[in-house]
Amino acid sequence: MVKLRLKRCGRKQRATSVYRIVAIDVRSRREGRDLRKVGFYDPIKNQTYLNVPAILYFLEKGAQPTGTVRDILKKAEAFKELRSNQIKFN
């Protein structure tokens, strides 16, 4: 099963981390090998970059976003395009 989740980037032992949003196998660890990078999230600067077509592709194939990624996608209104395909995410 594939999940959309955050992968930590940046320096080690640093509180101000940035994250990549990746499609990754559930059995992989957080910094494990990802299938594809689909976005970027910086909580300090509050910046988000999303590759919406890639995200929609994985969601249509059955990938499940984690809670934090789901909140990021809702805030960016990425789920509006999925409503026509009848996929629901709470």
Side-chain angles (χ1 to χ4, degrees):
M1 181 175 173
V2 176
K3 281 202 174 226
L4 296 175
R5 64 182 180 193
L6 297 175
K7 183 176 180 179
R8 190 172 176 182
C9 300
R11 288 197 228 159
K12 291 191 280 184
Q13 304 297 324
R14 190 169 175 190
T16 57
S17 293
V18 294
Y19 298 91
R20 284 191 180 133
I21 299 171
V22 296
I24 194 167
D25 187 24
V26 222
R27 297 168 290 189
S28 298
R29 56 195 178 101
R30 183 182 66 189
E31 280 85 20
R33 185 169 179 190
D34 51 70
L35 300 173
R36 186 166 179 193
K37 297 173 184 77
V38 294
F40 175 83
Y41 175 61
D42 186 352
I44 302 300
K45 295 180 182 175
N46 201 17
Q47 293 178 337
T48 305
Y49 166 76
L50 299 173
N51 184 352
V52 177
I55 291 171
L56 294 177
Y57 169 79
F58 281 107
L59 290 175
E60 288 171 355
K61 296 293 181 184
Q64 295 294 315
T66 61
T68 307
V69 173
R70 184 182 310 121
D71 294 340
I72 293 169
L73 295 176
K74 279 184 182 178
K75 188 185 282 187
E77 299 177 351
F79 288 125
K80 283 187 176 181
E81 296 180 33
L82 282 177
R83 289 191 181 161
S84 62
N85 296 342
Q86 303 297 330
I87 297 177
K88 279 188 157 182
F89 294 98
N90 297 332

